[in-house]
């Protein structure tokens, strides 16, 4: 059980979102919940826990009837917050919600909840740790199926279990080392205990290294895959982003250099979140100052992109046999760095301008995709290739071990690994007679604290404020 919530006020908030709707859910949590039930429903006893009751709902002060709706009663500690909790399910008109707010505010020491305060109380009550809290926030904000699956696994505690098991191994290792320090001279603890403890630490180091060496798949899935559409001027980049987005995101003309700035569009491809960016056409020389700035911004965006969609004008390929050479020269002329080539999908656009024999020969080459933005030929095949690449970049949250989804986690895990490596290096590089285990074990304690900062075992007020501020009022 963590420390009690610092504010004992009873709180209430709209949990179903704002705006007119069929049903509005108003949640109440705190010690005044029982009094609120009796006064607002005129029931002499609280209803059966966790079972909906249709009842009249009255104003706490004016005694007027507000609505007829459902009441759910969750007595603490068996509730989301660990406190006595009520849910009123009323009609979703703004006047009804306002009347409910006005009525609840008349009860002593009762106020509107702050953003994320219900979840914060759940955290302080020990109902969830910080990784589960963050998973819940990600679940609320998930826009694609893969994001939902990753967030659900984290909200359900799978990442928490992984970190807690790691922490338990370290705590046990510390206990064994301290027992060795205290009792080895009395022969009650032999050297085998120390060896087992050190082996546990080596195992945790290996697990951490594998966990950190994930190519940032979880963070990329959470935040979206930054995908830049690049190529020379007038090859069909803007047509491609419009085609993939299924709306007119960019202006399309026959004039080269129409796109001058980065034009982003968020898209769901196969359940994966993608941030598509149309960029200015890349070329070495231009007299247009604005276009030059656009090209500079495009190159900067490409440097931070996760995936490149390189668009090539297929009609400019003079010989099918020289296609690979043409593309290699094209990439070099655009100034795309070699390190980005493995993260690039090559798209031959304007294939509707080719004759059937040439097109069929090009389709036999698996290193690129043939497409016509004009008539959408080749689009299904391209989408499948993009989806496959996205799965490689983001992983499959259904079958893989929980991955790091927050930069905050990665920071503390790297610190944890550093402390463990310091202990390991000291232990192996120092002779048994010269080791001062009592001092060096502080590296292990610091490693345990790093994991505690991830799960919330070690509380930092600034961290809590940032995390809970991402929630809405009623959550």
């Amino acid at each position: 059980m963590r420390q009690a919530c610092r504010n004992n006020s009873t709180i209430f908030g709209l949990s179903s979102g704002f705006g007119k709707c069929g049903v509005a859910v108003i949640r109440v949590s705190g010690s005044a919940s029982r009094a609120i039930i009796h006064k607002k429903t005129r029931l002499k006893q609280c209803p059966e826990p966790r079972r909906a009751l249709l009842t009249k709902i009255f104003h706490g002060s004016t005694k007027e009837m507000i609505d007829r709706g459902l009441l759910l009663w969750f007595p603490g500690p068996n509730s989301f917050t660990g406190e006595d909790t009520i849910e009123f399910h009323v009609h979703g008109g703004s006047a009804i919600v306002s009347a409910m707010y006005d009525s609840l505010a008349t009860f002593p020491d009762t106020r509107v909840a702050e953003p994320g305060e219900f979840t914060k109380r759940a955290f302080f009550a020990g109902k969830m740790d910080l990784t589960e809290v963050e998973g819940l926030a990600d679940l609320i904000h998930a826009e694609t199926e893969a994001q939902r699956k990753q967030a659900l696994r984290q909200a359900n505690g799978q990442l928490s279990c992984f970190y807690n098991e790691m922490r338990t191994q370290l705590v046990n290792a510390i206990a064994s080392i301290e027992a060795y320090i205290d009792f080895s001279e009395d022969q009650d603890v032999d050297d085998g205990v120390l060896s087992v403890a050190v082996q546990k630490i080596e195992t945790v180091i290996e697990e951490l290294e594998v966990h950190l060496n994930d190519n940032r798949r979880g963070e990329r899935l959470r935040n979206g895959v930054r995908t830049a559409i690049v190529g020379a001027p007038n090859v069909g980049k803007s047509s491609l982003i419009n085609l993939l987005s299924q709306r007119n995101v960019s202006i399309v003309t026959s004039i080269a250099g129409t796109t001058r700035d980065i034009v982003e569009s968020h898209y769901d491809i196969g359940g994966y979140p993608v941030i598509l960016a149309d960029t200015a056409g890349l070329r070495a020389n231009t007299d247009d100052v604005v276009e030059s700035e656009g090209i500079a911004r495009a190159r900067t965006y490409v440097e931070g992109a996760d995936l490149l969609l390189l668009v090539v004008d297929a009609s400019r390929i003079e010989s099918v046999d020289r296609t690979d050479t043409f593309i290699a020269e094209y990439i070099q002329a655009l100034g795309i760095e070699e390190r980005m080539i493995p993260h690039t999908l090559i798209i031959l656009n304007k294939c509707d301008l080719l004759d059937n024999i040439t097109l069929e020969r090009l389709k036999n080459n698996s290193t690129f995709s043939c497409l016509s933005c004009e008539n959408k030929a080749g689009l299904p095949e391209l989408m499948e290739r993009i989806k496959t690449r996205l799965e490689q970049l983001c992983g499959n949250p259904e079958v893989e071990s929980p991955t790091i989804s927050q930069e905050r986690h990665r920071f503390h895990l790297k610190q944890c690994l550093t402390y463990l490596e310091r202990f390991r290096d000291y232990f192996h590089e120092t002779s048994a007679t010269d080791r001062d285990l009592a001092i060096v074990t502080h590296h292990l304690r610091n490693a345990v604290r790093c994991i505690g900062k991830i799960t919330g075992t070690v509380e930092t007020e600034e961290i809590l404020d940032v995390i809970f501020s991402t929630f809405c009022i009623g959550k």
Side-chain angles (χ1 to χ4, degrees):
M1 178 71 70
R2 298 184 180 90
Q3 67 185 78
C5 194
R6 298 173 180 80
N7 194 326
N8 293 321
S9 299
T10 297
I11 58 174
F12 62 89
L14 183 64
S15 293
S16 54
F18 294 92
K20 292 182 180 180
C21 54
V23 176
V25 179
I26 298 173
R27 177 181 288 172
V28 182
S29 179
S31 57
S33 295
R34 292 176 183 269
I36 289 173
I37 288 178
H38 298 321
K39 199 165 185 179
K40 286 188 67 61
T41 65
R42 299 179 182 174
L43 295 172
K44 294 182 179 180
Q45 294 182 338
C46 290
E48 184 179 346
R50 291 170 293 281
R51 187 165 183 174
L53 174 68
L54 181 63
T55 181
K56 293 179 180 179
I57 302 171
F58 299 89
H59 196 287
S61 179
T62 66
K63 313 298 183 183
E64 292 181 357
M65 179 176 167
I66 296 175
D67 195 11
R68 188 166 179 260
L70 296 178
L71 169 68
L72 285 99
W73 165 236
F74 305 92
N78 300 317
S79 68
F80 176 72
T81 62
E83 305 172 324
D84 288 345
T85 304
I86 316 166
E87 282 186 5
F88 290 104
H89 294 222
V90 296
H91 292 96
S94 56
I96 294 175
V97 174
S98 295
M100 289 292 295
Y101 267 48
D102 182 68
S103 172
L104 291 168
T106 63
F107 289 87
D109 200 24
T110 301
R111 59 176 176 79
V112 176
E114 297 174 356
E117 191 168 2
F118 288 100
T119 308
K120 182 182 284 189
R121 292 192 177 196
F123 167 75
F124 282 122
K127 295 290 183 178
M128 56 177 62
D129 70 9
L130 282 187
T131 64
E132 293 169 319
V133 167
E134 291 167 319
L136 180 59
D138 288 347
L139 188 60
I140 293 171
H141 296 294
E143 295 181 345
T144 72
E145 183 66 6
Q147 285 179 320
R148 180 192 67 79
K149 290 175 181 178
Q150 174 174 271
L152 184 61
R153 294 185 73 184
Q154 186 171 330
N156 286 342
Q158 293 190 31
L159 194 61
S160 173
C161 288
F162 178 76
Y163 292 146
N164 284 332
E165 175 61 26
M166 196 178 295
R167 183 179 184 276
T168 298
Q169 293 295 322
L170 293 179
V171 170
N172 290 340
I174 293 173
S176 297
I177 293 172
E178 290 182 341
Y180 177 83
I181 294 171
D182 293 337
F183 303 113
S184 61
E185 294 182 359
D186 299 330
Q187 302 302 315
D188 292 331
V189 180
D190 58 25
D191 291 343
V193 172
L194 182 60
S195 299
V196 171
V198 173
Q199 183 56 50
K200 285 182 180 178
I201 295 167
E202 296 275 9
T203 301
V204 172
I205 289 175
E206 292 174 4
E207 291 176 349
L208 261 179
E209 288 174 339
V210 172
H211 190 55
L212 284 166
N213 189 26
D214 62 348
N215 197 27
R216 296 184 178 269
R217 292 194 301 272
E219 291 152 284
R220 191 178 289 118
L221 176 55
R222 178 177 181 266
N223 300 321
V225 180
R226 291 169 60 86
T227 304
I229 301 176
V230 297
N234 211 26
V235 295
K237 299 185 302 300
S238 296
S239 297
L240 178 59
I241 193 173
N242 290 346
L243 183 62
L244 295 178
S245 301
Q246 299 179 354
R247 59 191 179 93
N248 292 326
V249 175
S250 292
I251 298 173
V252 177
T253 71
S254 59
I255 302 173
T258 303
T259 303
R260 303 297 184 91
D261 206 346
I262 307 297
V263 180
E264 287 188 336
S265 175
H266 293 253
Y267 193 47
D268 179 344
I269 298 180
Y272 292 94
V274 178
I275 305 172
L276 287 173
D278 186 15
T279 62
L282 300 178
R283 53 180 168 182
N285 299 309
T286 176
D287 296 329
D288 192 313
V289 176
V290 178
E291 186 182 3
S292 295
E293 177 62 25
I295 293 173
R297 294 187 182 187
R299 296 193 185 281
T300 300
Y301 195 94
V302 165
E303 290 176 1
D306 302 307
L307 177 64
L308 299 185
L309 300 183
L310 178 64
V311 184
V312 182
D313 186 346
S315 65
R316 296 184 59 188
I317 300 175
E318 297 177 356
S319 170
V320 175
D321 296 331
R322 292 195 71 257
T323 302
D324 291 338
T325 303
F326 174 85
I327 292 175
E329 293 173 349
Y330 180 71
I331 290 174
Q332 185 176 15
L334 295 179
I336 296 175
E337 296 182 14
E338 187 175 349
R339 66 178 182 85
M340 294 302 300
I341 294 177
H343 307 290
T344 302
L345 287 180
I346 300 170
I347 302 169
L348 300 187
N349 187 33
K350 303 185 182 181
C351 284
D352 54 299
L353 302 179
L354 304 178
D355 60 76
N356 291 334
I357 296 176
T358 302
L359 181 58
E360 289 302 318
R361 290 187 63 188
L362 288 174
K363 284 183 178 179
N364 291 329
N365 192 325
S366 61
T367 59
F368 47 75
S369 298
C370 294
L371 175 70
S372 169
C373 290
E374 180 68 25
N375 59 27
K376 301 182 182 179
L379 180 60
E381 294 79 7
L382 173 62
M383 295 298 289
E384 195 60 34
R385 288 193 67 189
I386 294 176
K387 180 182 175 182
T388 300
R389 186 60 64 89
L390 292 175
E391 186 169 339
Q392 294 170 352
L393 289 169
C394 299
N396 187 338
E398 279 190 305
V399 299
E400 295 182 354
S401 300
T403 54
I404 302 169
S405 61
Q406 304 267 354
E407 180 59 36
R408 185 181 76 84
H409 299 178
R410 189 174 298 278
F411 173 79
H412 292 305
L413 289 174
K414 285 182 176 179
Q415 282 194 321
C416 177
L417 181 60
T418 298
Y419 287 125
L420 295 179
E421 288 174 336
R422 287 176 183 173
F423 174 88
R424 179 193 61 189
D425 295 344
Y426 175 86
F427 187 85
H428 290 305
E429 294 171 2
T430 308
S431 64
T433 55
D434 294 333
R435 290 180 194 142
D436 191 338
L437 294 177
I439 293 178
V440 79
T441 49
H442 81 276
H443 290 314
L444 301 182
R445 295 191 186 91
N446 285 336
V448 170
R449 289 192 188 96
C450 289
I451 297 177
K453 289 179 181 179
I454 298 173
T455 62
T457 306
V458 179
E459 294 172 18
T460 302
E461 193 65 36
E462 183 179 357
I463 293 176
L464 298 183
D465 290 342
V466 171
I467 291 173
F468 289 108
S469 66
T470 64
F471 285 87
C472 57
I473 293 292
K475 195 63 183 175

